[in-house]
Amino acid sequence: MQICKHHLRILIFLFFIAIIGTKAVFAYAPLAEEKYKQGVNYSDQGNYSMAIMLFEEASRIDPSFNDVYFNMGILYEYTNQNDKAITAFEQLLKNNPSDTEAAFKIASICYKSGKYKKAMSYIALINLPLIHISEPT
């Protein structure tokens, strides 16, 4: 099947528009990205308090930066600051209600803390597809 030059130009144009549009949707404030990257570096070095501080700064600069909340929640949980971990994961869920991993993390922390009803309320948010297993024929 041949594509005429006109259609090829349109396809290339639409491709670039899609790339530019995607970049704009997922672009975060440059200073927030810088703080986030520094936080990741400190986390990799085992300096969790500095990493958390940088993640908190990044979240204040750009409250829509979801990776910040996830990493902050992980580090809060790792350092036994469970209430702060839950708050970070809840902010992530507020920004992205379909983030099942955040809902699972909250449920897990709540369960380990003995908050079973709250854990179940977050488990209920996780919409996993049903798996149908059929018997071999």
Side-chain angles (χ1 to χ4, degrees):
M1 177 162 118
Q2 283 188 328
I3 299 177
C4 70
K5 287 182 182 181
H6 176 72
H7 288 122
L8 184 59
R9 286 184 190 137
I10 292 173
L11 285 174
I12 291 171
F13 174 75
L14 291 174
F15 175 75
F16 283 114
I17 293 296
I19 290 174
I20 291 169
T22 302
K23 177 75 172 158
V25 169
F26 295 108
Y28 299 113
L31 183 57
E33 286 184 9
E34 182 182 325
K35 297 290 183 185
Y36 172 76
K37 289 175 186 174
Q38 290 172 353
V40 169
N41 288 335
Y42 277 106
S43 177
D44 290 344
Q45 296 168 16
N47 190 341
Y48 304 126
S49 59
M50 183 62 88
I52 289 170
M53 184 187 77
L54 288 161
F55 291 149
E56 288 173 344
E57 285 182 39
S59 72
R60 283 190 294 275
I61 295 166
D62 189 344
S64 69
F65 199 159
N66 292 337
D67 290 346
V68 168
Y69 296 107
F70 184 81
N71 284 292
M72 202 165 27
I74 293 293
L75 290 182
Y76 279 138
E77 181 184 15
Y78 186 76
T79 57
N80 295 313
Q81 299 178 66
N82 291 334
D83 289 338
K84 288 184 176 184
I86 290 170
T87 300
F89 289 123
E90 285 177 336
Q91 182 61 47
L92 175 55
L93 268 179
K94 182 180 175 186
N95 289 352
N96 182 9
S98 65
D99 192 321
T100 56
E101 191 170 6
F104 179 79
K105 291 300 290 178
I106 296 169
S108 174
I109 294 166
C110 290
Y111 183 82
K112 288 188 272 184
S113 302
K115 300 173 185 174
Y116 303 118
K117 286 184 180 181
K118 187 171 182 177
M120 291 307 294
S121 70
Y122 280 96
I123 289 293
L125 296 176
I126 302 171
N127 294 320
L128 298 176
L130 294 175
I131 300 173
H132 298 283
I133 301 174
S134 58
E135 294 183 27
T137 55

